[in-house]
Amino acid sequence: MLMRKRTNASVSAHEDEVSNLKSLQQDSKQRASQFPSSTKIFIICLIFRMTNSLFVQTYFNPDEHWQALEVAHRITFGYGHLTWEWTKGIRSYLHPMLFAVLYKVLSVLHLDTPLFMIKAPRLLQSVLSAFGDLYMFKLSHVLYGGHVAMWALFAQLTNWFMFYCITRTLSNSLETVLTVLSLYYWPCLRVNSSNSPEASRTWALVTAAIACAIRPTSAIIWIYVGLMELIVSRDRLKFIFLQVLPIGSIVLGLTFLLDRLMYGSWVFVPLNFLKFNFLSSGGDYYGTHPWHWYFTQGFIVMIFTFLPFMAVGVVQSKQWKLSGLILWVIGLYSILGHKEFRFVLPVLPIALSFSGYSLAMLSRQYSSNKKNKYTRTRTKSSWKIQAAVIFLVVTNLPMALYMSMVHQRGTEDVMNYLAKEAHQGNVKSVLFLTPCHATPYYSTLHQNLPMRFLDCSPSEVKGNLDESDRFMTDPIGFTSEFAKNWSQPSHIVLFNNEEKHLKDFLSSHSYEETKRFFHAHFKVDRDLQASVVVYALK
């Protein structure tokens, strides 16, 4: 009798377990069906990034204008300044050509007005950035599941530096999009590539090659990923000789031909880039940082309050390949003397996906089971996940808005103002008495008027000061000497720091202040550039 009761109890327990397992499976399927499709995710990301691009109204890095839009403007409209990098042949025309096509469309439609010339490039970049967000979501979905992917997307969209930088027309922004897209297709990153039909080495290599063509330093990422693929691949000879070499040769060959067409002579950009930035340390001319800067300041500032969540996510996910990629990239860039935040932007989405993993784990409750390692149970969000979300939003949102809309906005505002004035015929020529490349240029003004800025091209003679440095050292002496041979401009643009030294000079040459724009609350580079001032001939 006792045995029969035990047997019945055992059967009942087994039936309950089977029933629970089925309900959990049904719950899992129901959860999976609740996740938005890729199309819906892309639309959400597109609306967010386009709005994001409209919020970005500040100046971050000269390359956003001078190495992309300025070059594109010259290609399309026949005028625009080419910096010394283009005379040395260390830049490819591939990236500027993207915006040259946009400018051509605006020109044909007669929409090349000051408003469209200012907003359209970043709106185009916002479309590309939305693809980056989508593929970060898809990569996280493949690696960790849909629930983690949603939290990874949350991290991507709320991180302040992504908001601040990804819709800018920097080559690093496009490199970041291509990096995420390529990582999604690499089979070596999948746990089981046979169950992931979308894994494709061909697409992975094509996007990686384009990233390298746009920024040769992107090869740092693909050396690491390529070696991983080579180690796990069963068809290594096919991988090298039938995929890597043909695809790389085609993409880089087409880029080589484009540069031949645009430069007018044969120029091998990757080699020139390598010589200047790595073999001769040419980048050090623009400043150096200690080796640990990315670890102690640079990348820490970029990931900001997501840092502890990233660290926990790395440990929890045990996705050592991707965490190793982050360390590899930051480690190699740390060897170079010249360092910038944007250089390591391509690995920021990976770090944020780890933050998404830890947030997803925090939002779930797992209980151990003898037959199943982990059993998912439906629970309401605990106070911990609510506190985490509030903490991340409260810390990142003000930073994103302040940096995108307040800090260093004066140099953008002054060119927007001059563009409207020039469009109305009120500007004849402009002189910029500022550190070089401190403002946008013809790509914003969009009028073929004489303009002059202080040159800062690297000198062949070590220790020789450029125009920009000589002006900053002695504003009065430099400007007085400069004025002896100038064709007097109708407008002069300068920061308030130099204005206080040059007020008498400006007054004696019949200039008066016409407009003043707020620029920054704290130091930029060397000094506090509180405002940008426009002086015009009386």
Side-chain angles (χ1 to χ4, degrees), residues 224 295 322-334 347:
Y224 176 95
F295 293 99
L322 285 178
S323 57
L325 176 59
I326 296 173
L327 286 174
W328 166 264
V329 170
I330 295 177
L332 283 190
Y333 273 112
S334 295
V347 296

Side-chain angles (χ1 to χ4, degrees), residues 459-486:
S459 174
E460 299 291 338
V461 181
K462 191 174 182 180
N464 192 27
L465 294 179
D466 55 45
E467 283 186 344
S468 181
D469 286 331
R470 296 201 324 261
F471 171 72
M472 297 300 291
T473 303
D474 181 14
I476 300 175
F478 177 87
T479 308
S480 299
E481 188 67 27
F482 184 83
K484 292 179 181 179
N485 300 309
W486 73 0

Side-chain angles (χ1 to χ4, degrees), residues 78-276:
Y79 63 97
H81 183 83
L82 295 183
T83 61
W84 64 269
E85 288 98 330
W86 298 91
T87 60
K88 295 286 186 180
I90 65 172
R91 298 279 184 177
S92 172
Y93 277 90
L94 182 59
H95 183 238
M97 194 59 71
L98 181 70
F99 299 101
V101 173
L102 172 66
Y103 284 152
K104 189 63 178 178
V105 172
L106 293 178
S107 177
V108 170
L109 298 176
H110 302 291
L111 293 174
D112 53 328
T113 61
L115 178 63
F116 278 96
M117 292 297 292
I118 293 165
K119 298 297 183 183
R122 283 178 179 164
L123 283 170
L124 175 59
Q125 179 58 41
S126 71
V127 176
L128 301 173
S129 301
F131 278 103
D133 296 333
L134 170 65
Y135 274 87
M136 198 279 294
F137 171 85
K138 294 178 72 172
L139 176 63
S140 300
H141 197 294
V142 165
L143 296 178
Y144 314 119
H147 190 64
V148 173
M150 292 300 292
W151 281 105
L153 184 62
F154 164 80
Q156 175 91 344
L157 298 182
T158 54
N159 174 258
W160 83 270
F161 196 83
M162 271 294 172
F163 188 94
Y164 175 61
C165 191
I166 198 63
T167 61
R168 295 180 183 273
T169 55
L170 292 160
S171 59
N172 309 87
S173 300
L174 182 54
E175 178 195 11
T176 301
V177 172
L178 292 169
T179 297
V180 175
L181 199 153
S182 183
L183 289 175
Y184 171 74
Y185 286 110
W186 279 97
C188 64
L189 298 178
R190 311 292 182 97
V191 176
N192 187 350
S193 59
S194 62
N195 294 330
S196 304
E198 290 190 80
S200 168
R201 284 199 311 216
T202 300
W203 281 112
L205 286 167
V206 168
T207 48
I210 295 173
C212 291
I214 290 171
R215 283 195 65 81
T217 49
S218 190
I220 291 174
I221 295 172
W222 307 118
I223 288 172
Y224 176 95
V225 178
L227 287 174
M228 280 199 307
E229 183 67 28
L230 190 64
I231 291 170
V232 302
S233 178
R234 295 179 181 178
D235 51 352
R236 295 174 183 173
L237 292 178
K238 176 185 175 183
F239 173 56
I240 295 172
F241 294 104
L242 297 182
Q243 291 182 313
V244 174
L245 292 179
I247 292 172
S249 299
I250 291 171
V251 173
L252 295 180
L254 291 174
T255 307
F256 190 34
L257 290 174
L258 173 65
D259 290 333
R260 168 66 179 85
L261 176 66
M262 301 307 299
Y263 274 107
S265 60
W266 293 108
V267 176
F268 192 53
V269 171
L271 180 60
N272 295 337
F273 189 92
L274 178 68
K275 285 181 178 178
F276 181 80

